[in-house]
Amino acid sequence: MNYFPDEVLEHVFDFITSHKDRNSVSLVCKSWYKIERYSRQRVFIGNCYSISPERLIARFPGLKSLTLKGKPHFADFNLVPHDWGGFVYPWIKALAKSRIGLEELRLKRMVVSDESLELLSKSFVNFKSLVLVSCEGFTTDGLAAIAANCRFLRELDLQENEVDDHRGHWLSCFPESCTSLISLNFACLRGEVNLGALERLVSRSPNLKSLRLNRAVPLDTLQKLLMRAPQLVDLGIGSYVHDPFSEAYNKLKIAIQRCKSIRSLSGFLEVAPHCMSAIYPICGNLTFLNLSYAPGLHGNKLMKLIQHCRKLQRLWILDCIGDKGLGVVALTCKELQELRVFPSDPFEAENAAVTEEGLVLVSAGCPKLNSLLYFCQQMTNAALITVAKNCPNFIRFRLCILDPMKPDPVTNQPLDEGFGAIVQSCKGLKRLSLSGHLTDQVFLYIGMYAEQLEMLSIAFAANSDKGMLYVLNGCKKLRKLEIRDCPFGDAALLEDVGKYETMRSLWMSSCEVTLGGCKSVAEKMPSLNVEIIDESEQMEFNLDDKQKVDKMYLYRTLVGHRKDAPEYVWIL
Amino acid sequence: MSPPLLGVEEEVQSSVSSPSVECISENGMGLKERNYLGLSDCSSVDSSGVSSNLNLKATELRLGLPGSQSPERETELCLLNLGKLDEKPLFPLLPSKDGICSSSQKNVVTGNKRGFSDTMDGFSEVKGYVYTEKSWMFHEAGSDSESPQSVGHGKYPGNSGVNVILSTRSPGVQACVKQDEPANVLQEQPRATNGTSLKQTVISNNTTGAPAAKAQVVGWPPIRPFRTKTLAASSKNNDEVDGKPRPGALFVKVSMDGAPYLRKVDLRTYSTYQELSSALEKMFSCFTLGQCGSHGAAGKETLSESRLKDLLHGSEYVVTYKDKDGDWMLVGDVPWE
């Protein structure tokens, strides 16, 4: 390999795009490390506290695209207090000071302030793409700064963020000279937008491929936008409410028919089901359909819509589709790879309209299924075994039985065998979320069979430490383990502390681990940050090692304790 | 009237160890006393009108969620002329059977940072929460773990929407139960308010002194708050948008004492007792015009809401309903859901 000049190697490395592969390349030898680091343009940091911005900048001077993730996954479910951390500002500040020509920033579960957005917008001349997923802390003023200052902005993608909507004029802040937009997604904004500005913006963006509107955009504006952007590939409809006999609706029908490129459809935040027939012409080309925010669409109208979508690969839906509806999906969507069924009434377990039957139907009809998120009322071992047989290709399998700890209602047995069948059959399984009544046995199966497993989420399961031990011992590729309300204690935690260095993070809440156990981990593994999150301030006054820890989050890091932790976070 | 009521109150108090049970327990906690405001008076004041309007079919009042209704089950809301309403303290909160209870704290999740396991100290075995087939519930510390058995394990005839009341009512709440967690972001249902202008005091069943009993586990089911908030907003809008009745429209017969015909209302279109009573007022306003006039005020004024309210809810008319035991119950005690 020394025979090749660096430029050639660089050129070869250009073809290596996956982060894992590039990481591997950099480990081969010193010269490869050097070449790789100078040529690397995209960096993914799964835990923003594992490394510092300074070290990032030092190693990858050619950085153009940065992906950062902040809070642990369980923060999505209110298990992590609000201001725990995950601030992006220090990163932007450090990057701004450097010579890095940042072009793309993708953040997930981070706290983003208007200040950071403004600094971002002013610091990087070629900034092109901002993607924020499940972030918070900013307002539409920050968006206005991005719109106004990023002259070559191509992508502004806001997914499920908590944005303080000042109902401002942020859309109007895009200058007339901005014609480079390819993707604009503001579906999560709750406030009004300047419709005229939106229309003008779309008119002058000939490259616009993805447009996701929020609830405030009415049907007639939608029609105008579609007339101006028939090249759209991805459309998110905001409000879809109109009188089916009106002129605007007729115009919409015409407009939609012109949009022959649409492959992805979402939104319908407000929907009048009797207007859905206008959508039928484009259904036949859809590969992604997201109706998970459209509770107004159900029953026959929903069925009819789905029956038009023969090429669907990804379907996100509410459980009001029912088992029967899933049967229709099974008959129609033979190309289906990903299915997500969300609960329309999450806190009423008995109202969940889907059961194991729907899942079995889909598994039988859609053999390409490889990714599942399924909220249901109940599940049986028999069904899981059948699903495992029908679909051995699962990469992601996330099952949430709304009533936790619920056993198989037919046999009254725990669901160990069912999940065991899944992990045994699906050799490529990377992500698994369990629910229902589960004993240590299921973890034995997971440890034995889930060789590729990278992320495991456990809640209300197991009988003893053995469960956790099976997993830690067996799953060699485990990266993220998150556990809540399981009887795992210090014995399991301390069995193999070295393992945690091979993982990104471990979350344990409402388990049996004690303060002493956590301290022990921290002592033995200086390369880990062991955080105790305790808002009740019990920890301050009662430093008894035997005390159980409510929430523990530990992660590997190269930069030691973080300095921005709030008072109730105690880093051991 | 007081002694019997007190008797009932005591019984209510003493059996509140797991508040969830009362609602559903079918046996008496001595609630057979049926010392309702309306009943005895009603018969004495205007029995003829009342009895002719009574539908003596055994009916249940169901305030459950969609799908839990069978069409033939209707309850009548009877507007009775009750006269001396003010003097009567209210009767027991807890209707005898299921169907009427609903949790006013279904979705207390946010704001409770300690997770349910903290409340479970003192339980052995199963982490202490009550697992039922229906919905999640918490017990106050100290309640037995076998009490859940009486919590309607599938005993409701298809009434899937019933949630159990937890002890979330603070003492001294007037008329209606109020909900303690106004800022609950996970709450989808509209809130029950201190709707009616009835001025009786309510016997609180929250006597265990644990005001913030959780109905849900923190962080379960694992759904992002963004999603639940958005869905809640969507549902509300769709109700307005869709002209047809939503599935599970809950139509209930309403009769007014002395009116020549009955009306029907969809309980689903209201979110508080206040709304319901205003709507009923409007519906029956034509029949009260006579009385309005007799008060001597100008016609327009008398038709203003406040006046009518006084008429309908002051001492003249009360909204009551007949529950499935056939007992006349005063509307407003149970949380709106």
Side-chain angles (χ1 to χ4, degrees):
Chain A
M1 286 304 160
N2 290 334
Y3 311 137
F4 291 128
D6 288 358
E7 298 80 34
V8 174
L9 277 177
E10 223 178 277
H11 186 64
V12 171
F13 291 171
D14 275 350
F15 293 100
I16 303 173
T17 48
S18 120
H19 296 295
K20 277 193 189 150
D21 290 342
R22 294 219 89 162
N23 293 345
S24 307
V25 159
S26 65
L27 291 174
V28 169
C29 62
K30 272 197 188 143
S31 76
W32 279 39
Y33 175 88
K34 196 177 104 205
I35 297 167
E36 196 282 320
R37 76 176 253 256
Y38 279 110
S39 63
R40 177 109 102 178
Q41 293 186 344
R42 314 181 66 89
V43 174
F44 171 87
I45 296 178
N47 174 6
C48 64
Y49 290 119
S50 62
I51 191 74
S52 70
E54 290 74 25
R55 286 182 64 161
L56 168 74
I57 294 165
R59 179 167 170 191
F60 299 114
L63 180 67
K64 288 209 166 62
S65 162
L66 176 61
T67 303
L68 278 174
K69 291 190 182 180
K71 299 186 194 178
H73 176 232
F74 274 178
D76 280 351
F77 316 130
N78 291 327
L79 288 177
V80 174
H82 197 67
D83 45 353
W84 169 87
F87 306 104
V88 78
Y89 186 75
W91 291 84
I92 297 182
K93 190 159 146 215
L95 286 163
K97 261 197 252 168
S98 73
R99 297 232 202 116
I100 300 268
L102 194 68
E103 293 184 11
E104 178 178 270
L105 186 61
R106 310 169 75 94
L107 305 176
K108 186 167 184 180
R109 267 182 239 114
M110 293 200 71
V111 178
V112 182
S113 60
D114 282 345
E115 215 188 352
S116 357
L117 288 177
E118 197 169 328
L119 183 58
L120 176 69
S121 71
K122 292 185 176 156
S123 311
F124 306 103
V125 174
N126 283 324
F127 192 74
K128 294 193 172 70
S129 168
L130 180 63
V131 180
L132 302 178
V133 181
S134 294
C135 295
E136 56 174 353
F138 60 103
T139 76
T140 44
D141 295 345
L143 298 178
I146 298 283
N149 302 328
C150 300
R151 291 167 50 204
F152 303 113
L153 194 69
R154 290 197 197 154
E155 181 176 22
L156 179 58
D157 187 358
L158 308 170
Q159 299 178 27
E160 300 200 348
N161 301 290
E162 292 289 347
V163 184
D164 198 1
D165 199 325
H166 290 170
R167 285 164 178 73
H169 52 287
W170 67 275
L171 261 181
S172 325
C173 291
F174 282 102
E176 289 301 316
S177 55
C178 173
T179 58
S180 47
L181 268 184
I182 297 180
S183 166
L184 178 62
N185 172 7
F186 59 94
C188 64
L189 294 185
R190 299 212 159 96
E192 306 295 316
V193 288
N194 184 330
L195 298 176
L198 176 61
E199 286 175 44
R200 288 190 295 277
L201 180 62
V202 170
S203 299
R204 64 177 185 273
S205 304
N207 297 321
L208 194 66
K209 292 279 187 297
S210 167
L211 179 63
R212 296 195 183 187
L213 310 167
N214 75 347
R215 190 196 300 270
V217 180
L219 199 102
D220 49 356
T221 306
L222 172 65
Q223 174 261 321
K224 290 185 204 154
L225 295 172
L226 291 180
M227 290 300 284
R228 289 176 170 74
Q231 75 282 3
L232 280 179
V233 172
D234 169 24
L235 174 63
I237 292 181
S239 169
Y240 193 73
V241 175
H242 224 284
D243 175 5
F245 301 110
S246 67
E247 185 56 30
Y249 183 64
N250 283 332
K251 284 196 199 162
L252 177 70
K253 279 200 239 187
I254 299 171
I256 290 185
Q257 280 176 0
R258 293 179 64 216
C259 299
K260 303 206 187 297
S261 308
I262 293 184
R263 297 286 173 271
S264 158
L265 190 60
S266 60
F268 296 97
L269 305 171
E270 271 174 26
V271 60
H274 37 278
C275 294
M276 293 311 285
S277 52
I279 305 286
Y280 294 162
I282 54 171
C283 286
N285 290 327
L286 287 181
T287 56
F288 176 42
L289 180 60
N290 180 356
L291 296 175
S292 63
Y293 284 108
L297 199 52
H298 47 257
N300 286 334
K301 297 280 193 284
L302 177 58
M303 289 310 102
K304 276 193 92 177
L305 184 68
I306 298 216
Q307 277 166 334
H308 283 86
C309 304
R310 305 201 146 266
K311 290 199 192 155
L312 218 50
Q313 293 173 13
R314 296 165 62 209
L315 176 63
W316 294 20
I317 197 94
L318 286 172
D319 65 359
C320 46
I321 191 177
D323 286 331
K324 264 209 214 134
L326 288 177
V328 174
V329 171
L331 287 174
T332 312
C333 311
K334 295 300 181 188
E335 302 295 315
L336 198 67
Q337 295 175 26
E338 175 176 322
L339 175 67
R340 295 195 190 191
V341 180
F342 295 94
S344 41
D345 201 356
F347 303 105
E348 293 290 332
E350 62 274 6
N351 281 347
V354 295
T355 67
E356 76 278 9
E357 290 177 18
L359 183 58
V360 169
L361 287 171
V362 174
S363 74
C366 310
K368 295 190 185 176
L369 199 61
N370 62 37
S371 174
L372 181 75
L373 172 60
Y374 197 73
F375 286 83
C376 59
Q377 195 193 106
Q378 63 184 44
M379 185 54 57
T380 63
N381 282 313
L384 284 173
I385 292 170
T386 308
V387 169
K389 247 191 277 190
N390 291 339
C391 298
N393 299 319
F394 273 115
I395 299 177
R396 273 169 244 112
F397 193 88
R398 297 157 68 187
L399 187 70
C400 177
I401 302 167
L402 284 173
D403 210 345
M405 297 192 50
K406 183 166 182 164
D408 179 331
V410 171
T411 64
N412 235 11
Q413 294 294 306
L415 293 174
D416 299 335
E417 298 304 313
F419 279 107
I422 295 283
V423 292
Q424 202 175 348
S425 163
C426 305
K427 311 238 185 286
L429 193 68
K430 288 193 180 165
R431 182 168 179 183
L432 179 64
S433 297
L434 307 168
S435 61
H437 182 31
L438 297 163
T439 70
D440 288 343
Q441 184 70 9
V442 70
F443 298 105
L444 175 63
Y445 291 141
I446 292 174
M448 273 170 64
Y449 296 114
E451 291 172 8
Q452 303 297 321
L453 195 65
E454 296 182 6
M455 181 168 176
L456 180 62
S457 309
I458 311 173
F460 306 106
N463 314 109
S464 74
D465 284 335
K466 280 200 260 176
M468 186 166 164
L469 289 172
Y470 291 144
V471 171
L472 291 175
N473 288 335
C475 300
K476 301 295 178 203
K477 296 203 175 174
L478 195 63
R479 292 192 297 118
K480 283 181 278 185
L481 180 58
E482 45 189 27
I483 305 171
R484 64 165 293 181
D485 295 282
C486 295
F488 301 141
D490 292 341
L493 180 68
L494 295 171
E495 169 85 2
D496 179 11
V497 290
K499 169 91 177 169
Y500 305 133
E501 219 178 26
T502 69
M503 293 165 52
R504 184 189 298 174
S505 64
L506 168 68
W507 168 280
M508 291 181 76
S509 63
S510 304
C511 296
E512 305 284 317
V513 292
T514 68
L515 183 56
C518 297
K519 280 187 184 170
S520 189
V521 177
E523 242 178 72
K524 294 184 189 167
M525 301 292 298
S527 59
L528 300 177
N529 276 355
V530 181
E531 296 192 5
I532 310 291
I533 301 168
D534 182 19
E535 290 173 284
S536 68
E537 292 171 30
Q538 282 174 18
M539 291 287 159
E540 273 188 47
F541 302 114
N542 181 0
L543 297 177
D544 178 11
D545 276 2
K546 292 207 195 47
Q547 192 181 354
K548 298 225 178 98
V549 162
D550 188 29
K551 295 176 187 167
M552 180 207 71
Y553 179 52
L554 66 80
Y555 50 90
R556 66 182 175 191
T557 176
L558 293 175
V559 290
H561 291 188
R562 61 185 174 112
K563 309 280 185 302
D564 62 0
E567 272 184 8
Y568 53 80
V569 171
W570 180 15
I571 308 182
L572 297 176
Chain B
M1 279 293 245
S2 332
L5 271 160
L6 280 179
V8 175
E9 177 176 5
E10 274 163 17
E11 282 171 277
V12 172
Q13 287 184 357
S14 61
S15 45
V16 174
S17 55
S18 64
S20 52
V21 182
E22 277 82 56
C23 301
I24 331 264
S25 66
E26 304 175 17
N27 44 30
M29 297 188 306
L31 287 179
K32 301 255 194 268
E33 278 207 19
R34 311 261 186 265
N35 215 352
Y36 306 136
L37 268 176
L39 200 50
S40 38
D41 291 330
C42 151
S43 47
S44 62
V45 170
D46 194 354
S47 46
S48 55
V50 167
S51 36
S52 66
N53 283 333
L54 290 181
N55 180 350
L56 294 176
K57 207 168 52 170
T59 54
E60 294 179 23
L61 177 69
R62 293 206 170 172
L63 296 176
L65 290 171
S68 61
Q69 292 303 310
S70 36
E72 67 273 9
R73 294 186 189 214
E74 291 171 353
T75 319
E76 289 181 44
L77 296 181
C78 212
L79 294 178
L80 300 174
N81 190 339
L82 294 176
K84 311 174 215 149
L85 213 52
D86 300 310
E87 299 163 25
K88 314 283 188 292
L90 260 191
F91 47 87
L93 304 165
L94 308 164
S96 47
K97 297 215 177 162
D98 65 338
I100 303 173
C101 302
S102 53
S103 168
S104 60
Q105 283 255 11
K106 262 191 265 223
N107 304 321
V108 181
V109 180
T110 55
N112 186 344
K113 295 174 181 171
R114 286 176 57 215
F116 86 110
S117 61
D118 292 330
T119 65
M120 293 303 115
D121 296 328
F123 285 79
S124 51
E125 299 162 308
V126 177
K127 288 261 187 167
Y129 41 67
V130 176
Y131 149 63
T132 71
E133 292 162 26
K134 298 290 179 193
S135 58
W136 269 100
M137 279 168 273
F138 275 97
H139 286 287
E140 323 280 44
S143 56
D144 339 356
S145 46
E146 70 257 63
S147 44
Q149 306 315 320
S150 52
V151 175
H153 270 281
K155 288 203 184 109
Y156 312 130
N159 187 346
S160 54
V162 172
N163 245 349
V164 162
I165 293 185
L166 295 181
S167 58
T168 54
R169 310 181 194 188
S170 41
V173 158
Q174 303 264 7
C176 274
V177 170
K178 71 168 172 56
Q179 304 204 17
D180 321 345
E181 299 276 355
N184 191 328
V185 299
L186 292 174
Q187 179 91 17
E188 288 183 32
Q189 315 288 343
R191 333 233 73 192
T193 60
N194 277 334
T196 70
S197 40
L198 294 167
K199 294 188 177 51
Q200 296 80 1
T201 48
V202 163
I203 298 164
S204 163
N205 76 337
N206 178 7
T207 51
T208 58
K214 297 176 295 238
Q216 308 288 330
V217 186
V218 174
W220 192 267
I223 301 178
R224 289 192 183 138
F226 179 88
R227 174 168 287 280
T228 45
K229 268 192 248 179
T230 309
L231 272 182
S234 294
S235 303
K236 243 193 195 159
N237 287 334
N238 280 322
D239 282 351
E240 295 154 15
V241 156
D242 197 352
K244 308 177 200 144
R246 272 181 63 204
L250 186 50
F251 279 99
V252 155
K253 246 196 249 180
V254 181
S255 73
M256 178 161 136
D257 172 35
Y261 48 79
L262 282 63
R263 303 294 302 268
K264 273 218 171 177
V265 290
D266 177 6
L267 287 182
R268 297 234 148 263
T269 55
Y270 309 114
S271 52
T272 66
Y273 284 113
Q274 190 72 339
E275 286 178 26
L276 173 63
S277 50
S278 327
L280 290 174
E281 288 164 27
K282 288 190 195 118
M283 257 191 208
F284 289 99
S285 59
C286 46
F287 302 119
T288 61
L289 262 177
Q291 267 119 346
C292 291
S294 73
H295 283 264
K300 283 199 182 115
E301 274 181 28
T302 54
L303 286 180
S304 70
E305 270 222 323
S306 51
R307 273 300 182 101
L308 268 180
K309 234 189 266 185
D310 290 342
L311 281 177
L312 286 175
H313 293 294
S315 38
E316 300 279 353
Y317 290 93
V318 203
V319 183
T320 60
Y321 64 89
K322 197 172 186 189
D323 74 358
K324 74 174 201 256
D325 290 330
D327 304 316
W328 288 105
M329 315 278 297
L330 185 68
V331 159
D333 299 316
V334 183
W336 178 258
E337 288 89 351

